[in-house]
């Protein structure tokens, strides 16, 4: 049920975009973000920072979209989120001297610091490329193409990148084990 709640807002956005328009879909996305948090809370699912921040970002950009009747704002939400993730990773590395990727994954996995650093740089680059690609598609492609990119393209590319990350970790985990 928690997995369904994770994807409910984006699924609802897509369905209502197809049934109505971007503005109805934006309102549904906003409602879905609230339902998601409430549902996860009722299921006693652990709520992470992401579960609180993303709905706030959706509400901010969604409200601007609806109040100003300009789809540009909901389109920019995607780039804002990915740029913020990249800045967070950069800031953690250079200001806090903390590698967030290592903090998230390194409890069970032993890898050299250089590998964790390369993974973090890869995630920073990935997020910045996705933010830029979203800007490009939002500006130069049709609204329909952007919606399809947002719903299916980003999901597919992210899945492939996560898979690549896991394969990279697995490769270097095996190397670490053979060196021990």
């Amino acid at each position: 049920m928690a997995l369904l709640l994770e994807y409910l807002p984006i699924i609802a956005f897509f369905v209502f975009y197809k049934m109505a328009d971007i503005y109805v879909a934006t309102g549904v996305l906003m409602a879905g973000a609230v339902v998601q948090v409430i549902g996860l809370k009722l299921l006693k699912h652990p709520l992470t920072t992401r579960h609180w921040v993303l709905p706030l970002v959706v509400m901010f950009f969604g409200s601007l979209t609806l109040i100003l009747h300009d789809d540009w704002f909901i389109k920019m939400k995607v780039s804002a989120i990915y740029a913020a993730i990249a800045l967070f990773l950069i800031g953690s590395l250079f200001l806090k001297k903390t590698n967030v990727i290592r903090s998230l994954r390194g409890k069970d996995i032993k890898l050299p610091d250089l590998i964790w650093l390369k993974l973090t740089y890869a995630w920073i680059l990935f997020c910045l490329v996705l933010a830029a690609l979203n800007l490009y598609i939002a500006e130069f492609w049709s609204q329909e193409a952007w919606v399809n990119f947002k719903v299916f393209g980003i999901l597919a590319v992210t899945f492939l990148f996560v898979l690549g990350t896991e394969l990279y970790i697995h490769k270097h985990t095996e190397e670490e084990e053979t060196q021990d």
Side-chain angles (χ1 to χ4, degrees):
M1 185 60 133
L3 186 61
L4 175 64
L5 283 171
E6 289 286 338
Y7 292 100
L8 177 71
I10 192 71
I11 292 167
F13 174 85
F14 182 74
V15 169
F16 279 86
Y17 174 78
K18 292 297 185 181
M19 288 174 31
D21 64 15
I22 193 79
Y23 303 106
V24 171
T26 298
V28 168
L29 178 67
M30 294 167 69
V34 172
V35 168
Q36 179 186 53
V37 172
I38 292 169
L40 290 172
K41 195 89 167 129
L42 289 173
L43 290 172
K44 298 185 184 334
H45 189 275
L47 294 173
T48 65
T49 303
R50 173 180 67 91
H51 290 112
W52 294 108
V53 171
L54 289 180
L56 292 175
V57 173
V58 166
M59 292 305 187
F60 176 74
F61 284 98
S63 295
L64 288 173
T65 298
L66 296 178
I67 291 167
L68 300 173
H69 204 70
D70 186 348
D71 68 343
W72 181 249
F73 295 101
I74 200 66
K75 290 177 179 178
M76 289 308 94
K77 174 192 71 76
V78 176
S79 293
I81 288 170
Y82 281 102
I85 293 168
L87 289 174
F88 174 73
L89 292 172
I90 291 167
S92 294
L93 273 180
F94 295 107
L95 299 176
K96 291 178 121 184
K97 307 290 186 214
T98 303
N99 187 318
V100 174
I101 304 294
R102 182 181 195 159
S103 297
L104 292 172
R105 297 295 316 278
K107 295 173 185 113
D108 303 322
I109 302 169
K110 183 180 174 194
L111 292 173
D113 290 341
L114 182 61
I115 300 302
W116 288 116
L117 190 60
K118 285 180 180 182
L119 281 168
T120 302
Y121 285 142
W123 272 96
I124 291 167
L125 183 61
F126 173 73
C127 288
L128 291 174
V129 166
L130 262 185
L133 185 58
N134 180 69
L135 285 174
Y136 176 80
I137 291 172
E139 180 67 22
F140 297 108
W141 292 23
S142 70
Q143 186 182 79
E144 175 110 10
W146 175 80
V147 168
N148 287 326
F149 168 73
K150 177 194 181 327
V151 174
F152 302 110
I154 289 177
L155 183 63
V157 169
T158 303
F159 174 77
L160 291 173
F161 190 77
V162 168
L163 181 62
T165 298
E166 293 304 315
L167 291 172
Y168 185 77
I169 288 172
H170 182 70
K171 174 187 175 221
H172 289 284
T173 302
E174 284 181 348
E175 288 176 6
E176 273 294 302
E177 289 172 358
T178 54
Q179 289 177 2
D180 285 344

